[in-house]
Amino acid sequence: MFISYDLGTGGVKASLYDQNLEALAKSFIEYPTYYPNSRMHEQKPEDWWLGVVNSTKALLSEAGVDGKEIECLALSGHSCVSVPIGRNGELLTERVPIWSDTRASEDAAQFFQKVDEKNWYLITGNGFPVACYYLFKLIWLKNNQPEIYEKIDKVLGSKDYINFRLTGRLCTDYSYASSSGAYDLAEKRMRSELIEAA
């Protein structure tokens, strides 16, 4: 059996499946989105974690399954999210900007004074409001909350943060990396010149 989780804008959806891909139980745990202003859309990574924990308990209880029978967990999550963590894996902010957050519009405009936007698009495939990509959200953090920025050791996506909490592993996948604003789709690597420009 395995459990799949989808961290979304409104909550975490989870399902428990058997070896024949038959759904044995489903769960939805809601969590809030915070709107400090019209351009700032934030969530708490701790809410995602509690959503995963509570949905797991609900699924196992509903299906009458022992957790030891679970062979695999699968995660997906909203992209364009940047979760800054420190050297000891600790969260550096209680709330983080989610995909729809566009606070970094001015920061993105300054970036494109140094980088050709068309060439950036051809490398990354990124386009719709550029401020949504987490490279620009990190520039905003550097410019507006340097005391937090200076403590960053790693930046994780939403599902990558949950994976880290579950396993202690720091990793991502090509799809999620592509929402960074600095990932080369053809070469499957981060572009150092884009990171330097940021």
Side-chain angles (χ1 to χ4, degrees), residues 41-43 80-82 93 95-99 101 103 137:
H41 307 169
E42 302 174 337
Q43 290 182 346
C80 299
V81 175
S82 54
T93 59
R95 299 188 325 208
V96 299
I98 61 170
W99 66 273
D101 186 290
R103 71 182 69 190
K137 292 171 181 169

Side-chain angles (χ1 to χ4, degrees), residues 60-118:
L60 296 176
S61 175
E62 181 183 332
V65 169
D66 186 321
K68 294 176 184 173
E69 296 179 72
I70 305 301
E71 296 286 329
C72 176
L73 303 177
L75 291 161
S76 69
H78 31 21
S79 59
C80 299
V81 175
S82 54
V83 182
I85 61 171
R87 286 201 174 115
N88 298 314
E90 73 278 14
L91 274 173
L92 296 177
T93 59
E94 181 184 22
R95 299 188 325 208
V96 299
I98 61 170
W99 66 273
S100 56
D101 186 290
T102 58
R103 71 182 69 190
S105 297
E106 289 82 14
D107 305 282
Q110 289 176 3
F111 175 85
F112 289 117
Q113 290 175 2
K114 296 184 254 180
V115 173
D116 178 72
E117 191 168 354
K118 182 179 179 184

Side-chain angles (χ1 to χ4, degrees), residues 9 36 88 155:
T9 305
N88 298 314
V155 178

Side-chain angles (χ1 to χ4, degrees), residues 121-126 174 177-178 183-189:
Y121 169 75
L122 292 173
I123 291 169
T124 66
N126 300 151
Y174 299 130
S178 73
Y183 185 74
D184 187 317
L185 291 176
E187 296 184 11
K188 292 189 170 82
R189 66 178 179 92

Side-chain angles (χ1 to χ4, degrees), residues 10 18 38 45 67 69 80 85 117 123 127 130 137-139 151 162 182:
D18 67 14
S38 62
E69 296 179 72
C80 299
I85 61 171
E117 191 168 354
I123 291 169
V130 294
K137 292 171 181 169
L138 290 172
I139 298 171
K151 295 177 185 175
I162 297 301

